[in-house]
Amino acid sequence: MGNDVACLKTIYRKIKERKKLTSSQFEKLIEVTLLCDYGLDVFGDAKKFSKWLERSNLALVGVTPKSLLDTNQCIKAIKTELSRIEYGVLA
């Protein structure tokens, strides 16, 4: 998970310090925000969604969804899994 955590920490620090984000940091912030909004809609509860992000997931090759926040392709895979949960397609 290393790079995504470092990236997100950098983004949050820059926001707190009111510094400008690079375009890639801004895109990452938007992607993660949209993913979180979708996850909250699917689970209906922040705690349930947070727990899901922390649990290893067989559909995501046995890793935690949270560990896959480093690329847009991985974020799309998480969204796909959330969509499956939303529509009851768990296999």
Side-chain angles (χ1 to χ4, degrees):
M1 188 166 96
N3 289 343
D4 60 318
V5 171
C7 177
L8 293 175
K9 284 183 180 181
T10 299
I11 290 170
Y12 294 134
R13 187 185 83 252
K14 282 188 169 188
I15 291 171
K16 186 176 180 181
E17 295 172 357
R18 298 187 183 269
K19 293 183 178 178
K20 288 186 178 183
L21 299 176
T22 65
S23 60
S24 64
Q25 289 171 329
F26 187 70
E27 286 177 26
K28 168 71 84 179
L29 179 61
I30 289 172
E31 286 294 319
V32 172
T33 300
L34 291 172
L35 176 72
C36 288
D37 286 346
Y38 185 41
L40 289 172
D41 286 343
V42 169
F43 283 91
D45 180 89
K47 287 183 182 180
K48 289 179 184 178
F49 178 53
S50 181
K51 285 181 183 180
W52 181 81
L53 286 171
E54 297 286 340
R55 288 190 191 130
S56 63
N57 188 309
L58 291 176
L60 298 171
V61 214
V63 298
T64 64
K66 184 178 178 181
S67 69
L68 296 175
L69 296 174
D70 55 345
T71 66
N72 288 339
Q73 185 176 6
C74 291
I75 290 172
K76 287 178 185 178
I78 295 169
K79 286 179 185 177
T80 299
E81 185 58 21
L82 286 171
S83 179
R84 289 180 179 145
I85 292 169
E86 181 178 27
Y87 292 102
V89 181
L90 300 177

